[in-house]
Amino acid sequence: MKTYPILRLSIPLAAGIFFAECFQGWFPPWGIASLLLLVFVFLTGGLLLPNYGYRWMFGAGAGCFMLLAGYLLTDLKGQQVKVSWPLEKSVYEGTVLEMPVEKARSIQYKVQVNGKHVLLYLSKDSTSRSVGMGDCLQFYAQIRPPENRSDSVGFDYATYLYHKGISGTAYAASGFWCKREKEISLSWKQKALAIRERIVGEYREWGMSETQLPVLSALTIGHKSGLDKTQRETYSVAGISHVLALSGLHVGIVWMLLSFCLRPLERIPRMRWLKWLLATLILWCFAFVSGLEASVVRAVIMCMLMELGRCAGRKALSLNTLGIAAFFMLLYNPFYLFDVGFQLSFVAVISIILFYPLFDKLVSTRIRFLKWVWSTMAVSMAAQLGTAPLVMYYFSNFSVYFLLANIIASAVVPLIIALGVLSLLMIPFPTGHGWLAIGLGTLI
């Protein structure tokens, strides 16, 4: 563990976040802050001691400090989310933060009310469908704290919304809300989501079928709202549902495409940093457009750090870069720890790092195709070994033929992403673009 210092700090930080979730409200924030101050004094004393034999005090102090810091950050985050809303209906004004999501009987909007995030449901009609991201709404309704739904058997929907930062839910019937004419500038994240909607609209104009369009949108930009229940279950049963959720696989493919396009800059020593800067900017743009999913953020941070290690002429340690990604993500948002995508993403990478070398050594061949097949199977087995308990716990299923499905997916998904990017670039050339769109639909 001495080789991975940030990982040593990430573990107690995550433990503090977990304890704060288990013992909500047991300890006041000022008490935790006082303990943090005492531990900091202990930490400083251990660092200043001249005798190396007492340096364990510094390590113990650092662990306790991060444990308490994780607890305090989670407690403060929880206080920001939890709100005591009035018991009666009131008039509220909120700004739509994201693109609307159409449900069976209503349309869901994520709005910001008094600095808090609220899920507002409006009845379906032509007026509600005209509401978009950035619009200001005034509505008369009762905002309630998140509650478990009657159809969410075995799933704690209220806690899920709490970890997503949702402070309440409300329903406004027709005639009890209106759109205010108000100039509101979109944030960078909202502008990125608007770009994502434009790309989906562009895909739709390519003539993709109703089954192809949602898959293409999910694979390339993380737009999953168009996927129906049947498609999700099909991919889940096949053991490749991870390709529908943007993760390290997709970021890695984009990173490889960028490395190939920017390869000429590697030949000039002073231009390597420019390559790193360009690749980092493009990857973060991709993360913003995809909605800043936890698994994507983790992968972008790791790619950024590994590319930085290349520029410095050093080999990046995967566990250390993984620890850095976890450390800063949890500092930014402690609730990331309870995100299923975050958990599956980190567990899969740790499992691949630990078990892939063992599986890869089992078969040795000089035939490139067979070597690629076995490497793909080894990566899949390593990832499934670590994520299987989480998958069975959260989704109550486990694919028995994931090896075959992942071999196909590993070959086809990179082609779909590459052709998707190329098709967007070829829009000004109708003939070539038309052939690419046909090939793209066939692969999907």
Side-chain angles (χ1 to χ4, degrees):
M1 291 292 285
K2 292 181 179 179
T3 315
Y4 313 109
I6 303 298
L7 189 62
R8 295 171 67 183
L9 296 177
S10 302
I11 293 173
L13 176 65
I17 295 170
F18 178 76
F19 289 142
E21 180 72 10
C22 295
F23 306 103
Q24 291 184 35
W26 282 36
F27 307 101
W30 60 265
I32 300 298
S34 301
L35 282 175
L36 267 176
L37 182 61
L38 289 175
V39 172
F40 180 76
V41 174
F42 181 79
L43 189 65
T44 307
L47 184 63
L48 296 177
L49 285 175
N51 192 336
Y52 187 79
Y54 291 100
R55 285 299 178 94
W56 63 269
M57 294 176 61
F58 177 77
C64 292
F65 183 87
M66 295 313 304
L67 183 76
L68 293 171
Y71 191 102
L72 181 62
L73 287 172
T74 308
D75 193 64
L76 294 175
K77 182 71 174 179
Q79 291 183 19
Q80 291 176 2
V81 176
K82 291 182 178 179
V83 181
S84 296
W85 300 101
L87 297 178
E88 65 280 353
K89 290 185 177 182
S90 302
V91 177
Y92 298 95
E93 189 172 291
T95 305
V96 180
L97 298 176
E98 296 179 358
M99 298 301 297
V101 179
E102 191 164 333
K103 301 293 184 178
R105 300 179 181 177
S106 61
I107 301 179
Q108 174 189 291
Y109 299 87
K110 184 179 180 181
V111 298
Q112 184 170 328
V113 180
N114 300 329
K116 308 298 180 182
H117 293 175
V118 174
L119 291 183
L120 174 64
Y121 295 88
L122 303 179
S123 55
K124 285 184 181 180
D125 53 42
S126 58
T127 309
S128 60
R129 285 191 172 92
S130 66
V131 177
M133 184 170 55
D135 288 338
C136 182
L137 299 178
Q138 191 175 57
F139 59 94
Y140 177 72
Q142 179 187 3
I143 300 180
R144 301 179 179 179
E147 300 174 348
N148 286 324
R149 301 183 305 192
S150 57
D151 59 346
S152 58
V153 180
F155 176 61
D156 194 344
Y157 184 66
T159 302
Y160 169 79
L161 292 182
Y162 168 70
H163 289 150
K164 290 292 183 181
I166 303 299
S167 300
T169 61
Y171 175 79
S174 298
F176 289 88
W177 67 272
C178 65
K179 187 162 62 170
R180 298 286 303 275
E181 295 297 332
K182 200 172 182 180
E183 289 290 335
I184 298 176
S185 58
L186 297 179
S187 65
W188 285 103
K189 184 178 179 180
Q190 289 175 324
K191 290 178 180 178
L193 292 177
I195 293 173
R196 181 170 73 170
E197 291 301 318
R198 287 185 187 178
I199 295 174
V200 174
E202 191 65 44
Y203 288 163
R204 191 173 287 110
E205 293 181 1
W206 294 359
M208 294 288 171
S209 68
E210 294 183 359
T211 56
Q212 294 171 344
L213 178 61
V215 176
L216 177 61
S217 301
L219 285 174
T220 54
I221 53 176
H223 190 279
K224 301 186 291 291
S225 60
L227 292 167
D228 58 32
K229 186 177 180 180
T230 303
Q231 286 177 312
R232 293 175 185 270
E233 288 181 352
T234 301
Y235 277 77
S236 178
V237 169
I240 55 171
S241 56
H242 59 89
V243 304
L244 295 178
L246 287 188
S247 61
L249 170 66
H250 305 77
V251 176
I253 293 169
V254 175
W255 184 31
M256 285 190 295
L257 291 173
L258 287 174
S259 298
F260 176 77
C261 296
L262 301 175
R263 184 174 294 177
L265 295 178
E266 288 186 354
R267 300 172 185 174
I268 307 173
R270 294 182 180 179
M271 290 295 181
R272 291 178 181 176
W273 295 103
L274 178 60
K275 179 196 171 187
W276 174 80
L277 181 61
L278 290 173
T280 300
L281 288 175
I282 295 173
L283 285 176
W284 277 113
C285 288
F286 176 72
F288 268 91
V289 170
S290 63
L292 288 176
E293 295 288 339
S295 55
V296 176
V297 173
R298 187 273 309 163
V300 170
I301 293 175
M302 288 192 67
C303 289
M304 182 178 68
L305 293 174
M306 287 189 285
E307 189 68 35
L308 186 63
R310 282 186 183 180
C311 293
R314 297 180 181 179
K315 184 179 179 182
L317 297 172
S318 296
L319 276 178
N320 211 30
T321 53
L322 189 69
I324 293 173
F327 182 77
F328 286 105
M329 287 180 69
L330 293 177
L331 281 181
Y332 172 72
N333 183 6
F335 286 168
Y336 267 144
L337 184 66
F338 308 104
D339 186 278
V340 178
F342 179 93
Q343 295 175 15
L344 290 173
S345 179
F346 276 89
V347 170
V349 174
I350 292 174
S351 187
I352 289 171
I353 293 171
L354 295 178
F355 301 114
Y356 169 72
L358 301 177
F359 288 134
D360 192 46
K361 291 178 181 178
L362 294 177
V363 175
S364 179
T365 178
R366 294 182 180 179
I367 303 174
R368 289 187 177 182
F369 176 73
L370 294 179
K371 188 175 182 180
W372 171 80
V373 170
W374 178 248
S375 295
T376 302
M377 294 176 66
V379 169
S380 181
M381 287 189 294
Q384 291 283 352
L385 184 63
T387 58
L390 287 175
V391 170
M392 288 186 285
Y393 174 75
Y394 285 117
F395 307 109
S396 303
N397 63 44
F398 180 75
S399 174
V400 294
Y401 51 92
F402 64 89
L403 287 177
L404 178 60
N406 274 278
I407 290 174
I408 299 171
S410 298
V412 176
V413 170
L415 292 176
I416 292 175
I417 294 176
L419 277 183
V421 174
L422 189 58
S423 297
L424 289 172
L425 296 176
M426 289 290 289
I427 289 176
F429 309 98
T431 304
H433 173 265
W435 284 107
L436 286 173
I438 293 173
L440 194 57
T442 303
L443 284 173
I444 294 172

